Amino acid sequence: LELAKKIRAVDAPDVAERVLTSHFLPDMFGNLRAFSRQGTRCVKCAAKFRRPPLTGSCPKCGGRVILTVHEGAVKKYLQVSIKVAEEYNVSSYTKQRIELIGYDMKSLFENDKSKQMGLSDFM
């Protein structure tokens, strides 16, 4: 995008819009979908499970069971996309799509019940 700004024959906002709509947004949507449908695997024996075992450990070897898709993989392009959308003034539709996927990520990763509330929150 820095190169697109320097070349007069290139429309930098159009390049930014195309990069966002053809690369970043589909990747974020795909990663969000993969996170919501992920399985688990054992660290020790690499056994895969559709759902985490109730015991929290691998029934085959007793190893630790972890998720296969991590939060960082889902969120990795969100801040970059917001920055590019603001800097290059892309269409409002693309900005709204980025904002909506940000809300989706926020609702998935933030637990509303675990927030500390004070007395003033109820007044």
Side-chain angles (χ1 to χ4, degrees), residues 42-105:
C42 175
V43 175
K44 200 172 186 181
C45 69
K48 294 182 180 179
F49 308 101
R50 259 185 27 196
R51 293 177 296 279
L54 292 175
T55 60
S57 60
C58 179
K60 295 180 181 177
C61 70
R64 189 169 56 102
V65 178
I66 62 170
L67 297 172
T68 55
V69 181
H70 301 283
E71 180 180 347
V74 178
K75 291 182 169 182
K76 66 182 172 185
Y77 292 130
L78 183 61
Q79 293 304 318
V80 174
S81 298
I82 292 169
K83 181 181 172 189
V84 168
E86 290 300 319
E87 185 177 336
Y88 291 94
N89 198 20
V90 297
S91 69
S92 62
Y93 174 74
T94 304
K95 287 180 185 177
Q96 289 172 3
R97 286 186 69 193
I98 294 169
E99 186 178 347
L100 285 174
I101 197 164
Y103 289 145
D104 290 343
M105 289 179 190

Side-chain angles (χ1 to χ4, degrees), residues 30-40 49-50 68-69 108:
N31 289 342
L32 193 61
R33 182 180 174 143
F35 185 86
S36 65
R37 295 176 180 218
Q38 71 181 318
T40 57
F49 308 101
R50 259 185 27 196
T68 55
V69 181
L108 183 64

Side-chain angles (χ1 to χ4, degrees), residues 1 4-5 7-18 88:
L1 289 173
K5 277 200 279 188
I7 299 173
R8 286 189 290 169
V10 176
D11 184 19
D14 184 52
V15 171
E17 178 113 23
R18 288 174 191 251
Y88 291 94

